[in-house]
Amino acid sequence: MKKRMVYFGVIFLLVLGGMTSCGRETNGPGDAPQGSDQEQAAAAFRAFFDYLAAGDYRRAAAHFGGSYDVLRSYNPGADPEDRAALLKQACLGNGFQCLKVDEIAAVRENTPGEWLITASFLTDQGRVFSRGPCCGAEEGVQSAETEFTFRVKRQASGEYLVMDLPVYVP
């Protein structure tokens, strides 16, 4: 009888433990993150670049609050209102580097509701992305960049959106 009570007690605890975790909130890349403003800004930043790197341009567009004007000018034949198609073209044809985030080096508040996030990215080969001297500059004069800064803004809705397009390589 004592064994039976222990057995039922263990079963009860397992069932109770399983029931309490059923209502627990989870934070996938598209879910609203929990935590400080700084953590939420960093999570939105990471989600945007994760979606771009995975080729999920529709979800990436939902995390982008910046201007599409440059992409519209680079792609005059594209539907100017199809934000996902514009981001796809940016990544696949316009020279924007839609890479996975390697490391977030710094998150600092720029103005109330806006954060500057400095990060490095990984190439498809798993190396840290480096943008060399640009536009005819000599290698000794201008060094290669491996960290890039982006703005993330909290919207009136409480949502955090990336305001800058990915790194551009002409």
Side-chain angles (χ1 to χ4, degrees), residues 107-120:
V107 180
R108 65 184 190 283
E109 192 168 16
N110 185 36
T111 60
E114 182 179 270
W115 287 263
L116 295 178
I117 297 182
T118 302
S120 59

Side-chain angles (χ1 to χ4, degrees), residues 2-143:
K2 207 173 204 181
K3 280 186 182 180
R4 218 180 214 175
M5 298 232 355
V6 169
Y7 176 74
F8 285 119
V10 169
I11 297 293
F12 176 76
L13 290 174
L14 289 173
V15 169
L16 182 63
M19 289 174 74
T20 59
S21 66
C22 288
R24 192 174 298 150
E25 292 182 24
T26 59
N27 290 321
D31 295 337
Q34 306 293 315
S36 71
D37 287 336
Q38 187 175 16
E39 292 168 333
Q40 291 183 63
F45 174 79
R46 208 174 267 284
F48 173 66
F49 281 99
D50 283 350
Y51 287 134
L52 285 178
D56 192 342
Y57 305 108
R58 182 184 57 78
R59 283 194 171 129
H63 286 81
F64 185 69
S67 174
Y68 285 84
D69 290 347
V70 169
L71 301 182
R72 288 180 182 116
S73 71
Y74 283 9
N75 304 286
D79 177 352
E81 299 308 313
D82 189 345
R83 300 177 321 150
L86 290 168
L87 286 174
K88 180 178 182 179
Q89 191 57 35
C91 296
L92 301 179
N94 296 144
F96 290 88
Q97 304 302 302
C98 300
L99 306 170
K100 242 180 150 17
V101 175
D102 174 38
E103 181 181 343
I104 294 177
V107 180
R108 65 184 190 283
E109 192 168 16
N110 185 36
T111 60
E114 182 179 270
W115 287 263
L116 295 178
I117 297 182
T118 302
S120 59
F121 297 89
L122 292 174
T123 66
D124 291 338
Q125 294 77 36
R127 295 190 197 108
V128 174
F129 170 75
S130 174
R131 180 171 63 181
C134 180
C135 314
E138 293 182 33
E139 197 139 337
V141 176
Q142 183 183 16
S143 60

